[in-house]
């Protein structure tokens, strides 16, 4: 099962570090994929990481060197459009808001917390689902992957 560190978190939320490129690299070095929040500024042709606002400038090269391990949450239509230009590069990207399900560029189903999932689904933030009493129980679910702030508890 694919384990995805939500914004780089592995042992719980850490808002002061989330989406920081060094924090993302740490989670990748520990064997996880990572979900990142990305914005593209078309005027300056710069990419930024950050959930609510641009915080950390990153290059195409930074993302390209990690493309197989990143799940790129495009935070606006400009960013989503930019990634559609590079589909051949293998980036895994998507956009969503409060949708129950969203299809990623590589045809995985990004599944909102607590919603039904399939073997092609990424179960997102299962810790938000009150029906799950123990994250260890998720090791037996039939989904492609789990994106969580607590992925270290699933390894």
């Amino acid at each position: 099962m694919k384990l995805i560190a939500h914004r780089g978190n592995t042992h719980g939320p850490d808002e002061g570090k989330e989406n920081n490129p060094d924090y993302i690299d740490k989670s990748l070095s520990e064997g996880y994929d990572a979900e990142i929040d990305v914005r593209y500024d078309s005027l300056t042709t710069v990419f930024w990481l950050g959930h609510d606002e641009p915080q950390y400038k990153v290059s195409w090269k930074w993302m390209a060197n990690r493309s197989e391990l990143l799940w790129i949450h495009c935070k606006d239509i400009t960013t989503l459009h930019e990634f559609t230009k590079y589909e051949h590069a293998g980036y895994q990207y998507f956009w969503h808001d409060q949708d129950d399900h969203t299809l990623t560029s590589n045809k995985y189903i990004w599944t909102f917390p607590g919603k039904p999932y399939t073997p092609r689904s990424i179960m997102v933030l299962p810790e938000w689902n009150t029906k799950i009493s123990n994250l260890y129980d998720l090791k037996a679910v039939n989904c492609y992957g789990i994106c969580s702030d607590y992925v270290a508890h699933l390894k």
Side-chain angles (χ1 to χ4, degrees):
M1 175 184 302
K2 184 74 66 177
L3 297 178
I4 305 166
H6 180 242
R7 302 178 191 154
N9 294 318
T10 58
H11 294 281
D14 188 337
E15 290 183 19
K17 295 180 181 178
E18 291 177 353
N19 283 302
N20 180 312
D22 294 334
Y23 193 56
I24 299 299
D25 283 340
K26 182 178 183 300
S27 66
L28 299 179
S29 72
E30 293 172 0
Y32 304 104
D33 283 16
E35 181 267 349
I36 58 174
D37 298 313
V38 179
R39 288 175 175 76
Y40 178 70
D41 182 335
S42 59
L43 296 176
T44 61
T45 65
V46 170
F47 284 95
W48 295 89
L49 302 186
H51 178 66
D52 293 322
E53 62 188 33
Q55 292 178 285
Y56 307 101
K57 183 178 176 179
V58 294
S59 67
W60 267 117
K61 184 177 181 179
W62 184 88
M63 287 190 291
N65 289 341
R66 298 152 181 81
S67 63
E68 293 180 10
L69 303 173
L70 297 176
W71 296 74
I72 300 168
H73 180 181
C74 299
K75 298 301 283 185
D76 55 38
I77 189 65
T78 302
T79 308
L80 183 62
H81 175 74
E82 189 65 20
F83 275 98
T84 65
K85 296 177 186 179
Y86 303 96
E87 289 188 59
H88 63 280
Y91 291 103
Q92 179 85 257
Y93 61 92
F94 63 95
W95 176 89
H96 79 103
D97 187 19
Q98 296 292 321
D99 312 311
D100 289 356
H101 303 91
T102 297
L103 196 61
T104 72
S105 59
N106 290 344
K107 298 185 177 33
Y108 291 101
I109 304 167
W110 197 257
T111 304
F112 197 76
K115 299 301 178 182
Y117 57 89
T118 75
R120 295 272 313 161
S121 291
I122 304 299
M123 185 186 291
V124 179
L125 299 171
E127 58 267 27
W128 289 8
N129 184 352
T130 58
K131 295 178 185 174
I132 298 171
S133 60
N134 187 340
L135 285 178
Y136 293 106
D137 295 340
L138 294 174
K139 290 181 180 183
V141 299
N142 186 19
C143 64
Y144 181 77
I146 294 175
C147 177
S148 172
D149 288 326
Y150 298 91
V151 288
H153 296 251
L154 298 167
K155 205 166 194 182

